[in-house]
Amino acid sequence: MTSAGLELTILGSGTSTGIPVIGCDCPVCNSKDPRDNRTRCSALVRYAGKTVLIDTATDFRQQALREGIARVDAVLFTHAHADHVHGLDDLRVYTARSREAIPIYGADPTLEAIGKVFSYIFDNDPEAGFIPRLETREAAGPFELFGRSVTPIPLHHGGYPTQGYRIGSLAYLTDCNGIPDASWELLEGLDTLVLDGLRLREHSTHFNIAQAVEKAEKIGARRTLLTHLSHEVDHERISKSLPQGIELAYDGQKLTVADR
Ligand SMILES: [Zn+2]
Ligand SMILES: [Zn+2]
Ligand SMILES: [Zn+2]
């Protein structure tokens, strides 16, 4: 088996409301540019013939139909905010078909919060066909997944801890406005970085675009995608203002991450 790098798909590049925002009449919400149409933030990584989801966003069903996601082999959760977990129930079509549990990884508090929100899944007999069969696995440090090491990257999201993930030379860091000192060494030698860059104005729990650009330049990945974008971000206009190697993510974007 060769190590042919990773295939990354941006399933959703939008902030928690999705774009367009319900009832909003702003230029971005009215934009005809498909890159301004953003479902809730999530990504898909494919390697070694396996499909690994990062979060199950509110729009997961729509994303799975759009991208033809025929199977899900594992889910990595960044945190338990609604926009990142509310698509969880739709995993049941996969486990009903395969009759195998899907492992879901996350920090302990994240798994605990998911267990509370979706108590009907975790309190019921998984043989019941109307709930997904899931197996929770705490991701407190690096672990092996389908032949590759996956490293959780602790992050600050306001006062709330979240974690990004590094797989090979890809790092996916959403929902953050601070990178703790100990996390920097986990981000060396990246090919591709996906980083939270909510909007132009500052925010109490997310990097804005200027802060994300500054962090991205310090991290120094070959290519950086900014994600979790709000309706203040006009793709065409803001893209032109970004330095080389840094771009805005968009729904359905696919790229190959080279091994470094
Ligand atoms: Zn979010
Ligand atoms: Zn708007
Ligand atoms: Zn969040």
Side-chain angles (χ1 to χ4, degrees), residues 131-154:
I131 54 169
R133 293 184 187 202
L134 305 171
E135 197 179 292
T136 52
R137 296 190 188 167
E138 188 189 355
F143 59 95
E144 169 136 344
L145 187 62
F146 311 130
R148 277 185 182 263
S149 175
V150 176
T151 305
I153 313 285

Side-chain angles (χ1 to χ4, degrees), residues 55-66:
D55 293 329
T56 53
T58 313
D59 303 306
F60 174 67
R61 177 176 174 276
Q62 189 187 335
Q63 295 165 344
L65 291 170
R66 188 188 72 214

